Amino acid sequence: MVLIYSNDKKLNMEMLSKGRELADELGKKVTVAVIGKSDTDPEEYIKQGADKVFVADTDLESFKVEEYTEILAGIIEKTGVETILISSDKDGKELAPRLASMMDTGCVTECTDVYIEDGNVTAERIIYSGNAVAVERFIKKPHILTVPAKLFDPLEVDDSRSGEIINEKVAYDESPSKILKVQQMECEGVNVEDATSIVSCGRGFKNKEDIKLAEELAKLLPGETIGCSRPLSADLKWMTEDHWIGLSGHKVKPKIYIAIGISGQIQHIAGMRDSDIIVAINKDPEALIFKSADYGVVGDLYEVLPKLVDTIKAKIS
Amino acid sequence: MNIIVCAKEVVDVSEIKIDKNTNKPVLQGIDKKISDIDKNAVEEAVRIREKLGGKVTVVSVGPSEAREYIKELLAMGADEAKIIPYPDTGDYNVVSTLLAAAINNLEGYDIILCGEASIDLFSGQMGPRLAQKLGVPQITYAKKIDAEDEKLTADRDLGDKKITTESTYPVLLSVTKEINEPRLPSLMEILGAANKPIEVVDHSSLVGEEDPVIEIIDVKGVSMERKNIIFDDDLDEAVKKLVDNLAKDGALG
Ligand SMILES: Cc1cc2nc3c(=O)[nH]c(=O)nc-3n(C[C@H](O)[C@H](O)[C@H](O)COP(=O)(O)OP(=O)(O)OC[C@H]3O[C@@H](n4cnc5c(N)ncnc54)[C@H](O)[C@@H]3O)c2cc1C
Ligand SMILES: Nc1ncnc2c1ncn2[C@@H]1O[C@H](COP(=O)(O)O)[C@@H](O)[C@H]1O
């Protein structure tokens, strides 16, 4: 049996489609685990591929890793599942290894692909900051994998599907840690993964206001999408997390990626190396980014950007 | 306060090249170093000790030559180190079992610090696995830690939300790169670190033979070919050439 868990409905639907495929190939069933408060009607999961929905009845307000690990382990025990797909968001990425440790088993995080080979569950993941892909096979059950967003397309809603919904209390111990405060960070809802062009900003920008130079350029390209390096989002907070590109951020593959004032450290490249065309603008002729670029302009971004905007305007008019 | 930092020797991933014939990453001859964010963990440990007193112990599973790099962490202010030589550090179940056993052999611990992820494998597994093995709570992606005598609070940066968590001791935290700026030790500190104890612990003295739970069946190199056309002449000219090329490539919409 395959188990799907995320506290995000959208991710559940995406994993459900892969879970369905794996289960069909192995002749098994698919269960979705729901823990804590959820606005989703369990029937929706059944209509999008689940055979069963296990709703663990708890009083927990929100995700809490130690408690959720125990609850999920309880569900795994009750349902006898062998393959567990967990979303590769921040919650899932700290839940999956703790669960794997509890069950003394293997875990592959941030899979780029999951398939059955010679009857075994096999997963691929990026290692060495994007320089290689490791193909990993589970020796022991259960298999625990984390799946990033948008890797798999959800199945169509099929109203004729039917399944079983179980509501049960699962025991857990209270952890000595407690959440004092949760602050939702505003998010601009940018979808860099699906962008056809990205203008990406790095530490070469001196002030937050200067980002508008990049916006001017983005306006001339399809989608008007702005990306950034880790420091602009994680450190300086100039841009929300949905703009962040790289190994620890979003992985993108636009037709054109313009890196401005970005040095080109391998952890940034890991997020944009699949772009069709990479353009770099950097004042340092030795900057690493030029090694990963198709076209580069050596110059001060404050001079280059206005010229670039004017020249493109003239070209396309 | 007894503070443990888990640190790992890694290959410098920025130097890796792909062998065109075998399509495998070439790891021989590549510089080694301490995984970047583990230095942030050491820095944070030293700051907590400076505030509350106690001891900072570095624990590492890896090749015995890791000693060279572990010395840097002692120069940064850690008090002692344990290295558990182990041939293959790829299986998280085995390595976390070794780390847990080594930590349980110490005189006790209040805080265990890990990096949010290692730069070679980048999986963020070890912290949560170790916390579970030790039966302690975990606070991952800590961007700020405020430790007091009886408890600590930490701000976790999860991108779309910020969570403040409190815990009594013992507790395990994984820290982000943004939590601090790791110090560069002075020459005196580097010389002084030579006298700090590094103990090499035989893995068979910690746990019996552990069966792997995952098998890496292949590692495929991913190479990237780019045109590398750089315009470094007069700026007007450079920009014009760039735009001409982009238009030719059909990249302007
Ligand atoms: C485990 C780990 C994960 C990481 N994950 C990510 C990730 O997901 N994404 C990411 O981006 N980084 C990530 N990093 C950080 C990464 O290693 C780099 O530190 C980061 O990408 C640097 O950002 P930057 O290029 O904007 O800044 P810098 O490295 O400071 O580069 C600024 C560049 O701007 C240029 N510049 C300055 N002024 C001008 C000007 N006026 N005009 C033109 N050019 C100018 C400089 O020459 C320089 O090249 C990670 C690091 C680690 C250790
Ligand atoms: N072999 C190891 N020895 C000591 N600590 C480790 C080891 N591997 C990982 N860690 C710790 O776990 C963190 C996360 O690593 P990873 O799970 O590989 O992403 C690292 O930053 C270290 O703090």
Side-chain angles (χ1 to χ4, degrees):
Chain A
M1 186 124 62
V2 178
L3 187 78
I4 311 285
Y5 174 73
S6 170
N7 45 34
D8 184 320
K9 173 182 165 186
K10 209 160 151 261
L11 296 172
N12 269 330
M13 294 306 183
E14 292 174 9
M15 290 191 291
L16 203 42
S17 102
K18 187 67 194 189
R20 185 73 263 162
E21 180 197 312
L22 295 174
D24 288 345
E25 216 173 318
L26 296 166
K28 304 259 162 91
K29 297 223 179 302
V30 186
T31 301
V32 172
V34 176
I35 307 175
K37 294 210 165 48
S38 161
D39 302 331
T40 311
D41 177 359
E43 285 291 348
E44 290 189 50
Y45 292 128
I46 293 189
K47 287 179 186 161
Q48 274 185 270
D51 298 300
K52 216 192 260 187
V53 181
F54 192 110
V55 184
D57 199 359
T58 80
D59 328 315
L60 290 165
E61 276 300 314
S62 60
F63 180 82
K64 183 75 196 330
V65 69
E66 298 87 12
E67 285 84 347
Y68 271 50
T69 306
E70 287 193 36
I71 294 171
L72 209 48
I75 298 175
I76 292 165
E77 211 168 287
K78 280 175 201 269
T79 52
V81 299
E82 292 165 344
T83 303
I84 300 135
L85 305 183
I86 296 176
S87 53
S88 220
D89 46 8
K90 291 255 163 84
D91 291 346
K93 261 168 39 190
E94 69 159 344
L95 172 68
R98 192 169 174 113
L99 181 67
S101 178
M102 188 176 269
M103 317 210 96
D104 277 317
T105 196
C107 174
V108 179
T109 52
E110 270 190 275
C111 299
T112 49
D113 204 0
V114 183
Y115 48 89
I116 314 280
E117 200 176 66
D118 308 330
N120 296 306
V121 173
T122 309
E124 298 193 354
R125 72 180 305 266
I126 290 168
I127 57 171
Y128 303 134
S129 278
N131 278 314
V133 169
V135 184
E136 306 195 14
R137 179 176 290 169
F138 290 89
I139 299 175
K140 211 183 149 192
K141 288 174 185 165
H143 325 119
I144 300 181
L145 308 103
T146 80
V147 177
K150 296 176 192 159
L151 188 61
F152 305 118
D153 291 326
L155 294 170
E156 297 279 330
V157 177
D158 178 355
D159 288 321
S160 69
R161 283 188 55 86
S162 64
E164 188 187 354
I165 296 168
I166 305 165
N167 256 290
E168 232 178 278
K169 265 211 153 22
V170 184
Y172 62 88
D173 286 326
E174 227 169 87
S175 153
S177 71
K178 61 170 189 277
I179 295 175
L180 299 183
K181 198 169 85 186
V182 180
Q183 206 183 331
Q184 292 297 331
M185 302 302 275
E186 39 115 24
C187 168
E188 285 156 20
V190 191
N191 185 350
V192 284
E193 276 96 352
D194 296 334
T196 45
S197 62
I198 297 177
V199 176
S200 199
C201 310
R203 295 267 356 214
F205 284 83
K206 294 191 182 74
N207 301 296
K208 187 178 173 189
E209 293 68 52
D210 304 343
I211 301 297
K212 65 175 184 292
L213 292 170
E215 286 167 356
E216 291 294 314
L217 174 60
K219 273 189 200 134
L220 303 176
L221 301 168
E224 287 187 39
T225 312
I226 299 279
C228 69
S229 64
R230 174 165 174 152
L232 261 61
S233 179
D235 226 358
L236 300 166
K237 301 274 172 206
W238 288 356
M239 278 187 223
T240 52
E241 176 273 335
D242 43 345
H243 294 272
W244 170 347
I245 288 160
L247 184 63
S248 48
H250 299 268
K251 316 266 185 308
V252 301
K253 40 179 190 326
K255 284 211 169 67
I256 178 167
Y257 187 90
I258 308 184
I260 308 167
I262 292 179
S263 58
Q265 296 293 317
I266 185 157
Q267 290 87 14
H268 186 82
I269 305 299
M272 47 68 112
R273 54 188 300 149
D274 294 332
S275 309
D276 285 352
I277 299 175
I278 297 175
V279 178
I281 298 171
N282 198 301
K283 68 173 182 189
D284 175 8
E286 302 295 321
L288 272 175
I289 189 76
F290 292 123
K291 290 207 171 70
S292 306
D294 294 294
Y295 303 111
V297 173
V298 180
D300 187 327
L301 71 92
Y302 289 90
E303 286 176 53
V304 178
L305 278 180
K307 278 191 209 298
L308 187 55
V309 166
D310 288 346
T311 314
I312 294 178
K313 270 186 186 156
K315 188 92 189 170
I316 59 185
S317 66
Chain B
M1 208 54 60
N2 275 322
I3 309 163
I4 318 289
V5 180
C6 299
K8 172 187 177 190
E9 181 201 78
V10 293
V11 287
D12 186 343
V13 287
S14 62
E15 289 183 19
I16 296 179
K17 298 269 182 309
I18 309 301
D19 183 320
K20 289 231 167 53
N21 297 318
T22 61
N23 192 34
K24 296 262 179 273
V26 182
L27 301 178
Q28 278 81 26
I30 299 229
D31 282 343
K32 305 274 181 61
K33 61 175 184 173
I34 293 293
S35 187
D36 300 41
I37 304 181
D38 299 356
K39 288 196 177 172
N40 297 89
V42 170
E43 176 65 37
E44 201 59 25
V46 172
R47 289 188 194 182
I48 296 171
R49 187 202 55 206
E50 283 166 356
K51 179 178 168 196
L52 300 174
K55 187 160 114 183
V56 175
T57 307
V58 174
V59 184
S60 183
V61 171
S64 29
E65 85 251 14
R67 195 188 193 94
E68 272 323 296
Y69 308 96
I70 298 291
K71 274 188 195 155
E72 277 178 55
L73 306 179
L74 296 175
M76 283 176 70
D79 299 288
E80 56 174 49
K82 314 271 176 200
I83 301 179
I84 305 132
Y86 197 73
D88 172 22
T89 54
D91 194 302
Y92 281 100
N93 199 42
V94 175
V95 177
S96 61
T97 305
L98 288 172
L99 284 172
I103 291 171
N104 276 326
N105 276 353
L106 300 173
E107 290 147 29
Y109 53 87
D110 302 295
I111 302 174
I112 302 148
L113 295 173
C114 288
E116 66 170 280
S118 56
I119 62 157
D120 54 347
L121 298 179
F122 201 75
S123 71
Q125 283 207 41
M126 202 60 80
R129 277 188 177 268
L130 188 55
Q132 200 285 329
K133 287 240 148 51
L134 296 170
V136 305
Q138 71 194 45
I139 303 179
T140 51
Y141 304 102
K143 206 191 167 181
K144 183 167 174 281
I145 300 174
D146 199 353
E148 294 163 45
D149 287 322
E150 300 301 323
K151 60 175 175 28
L152 60 73
T153 50
D155 288 345
R156 307 176 57 216
D157 200 344
L158 306 188
D160 58 347
K161 52 187 191 268
K162 218 169 116 179
I163 298 186
T164 309
T165 304
E166 177 185 273
S167 179
T168 51
Y169 302 118
V171 59
L172 179 143
L173 301 102
S174 80
V175 303
T176 65
K177 184 171 147 39
E178 286 75 25
I179 193 168
N180 56 37
E181 194 58 55
R183 66 193 69 188
L184 289 172
S186 67
L187 186 59
M188 284 300 286
E189 285 164 332
I190 292 168
L191 295 174
N195 301 321
K196 292 185 177 176
I198 300 183
E199 189 194 346
V200 176
V201 183
D202 184 5
H203 66 85
S204 59
S205 74
L206 294 171
V207 286
E209 209 48 50
E210 285 278 322
D211 289 331
V213 292
I214 287 256
E215 183 188 6
I216 299 188
I217 53 178
D218 196 10
V219 173
K220 300 184 278 196
V222 182
S223 44
M224 183 165 70
E225 298 293 332
R226 291 289 164 187
K227 290 194 190 126
N228 300 127
I229 302 173
I230 310 301
F231 308 111
D232 51 3
D233 33 15
D234 166 72
L235 215 50
D236 287 312
E237 198 53 33
V239 168
K240 190 176 167 300
K241 283 185 195 155
L242 171 64
V243 174
D244 286 346
N245 275 285
L246 292 179
K248 205 172 69 213
D249 294 346
L252 294 178

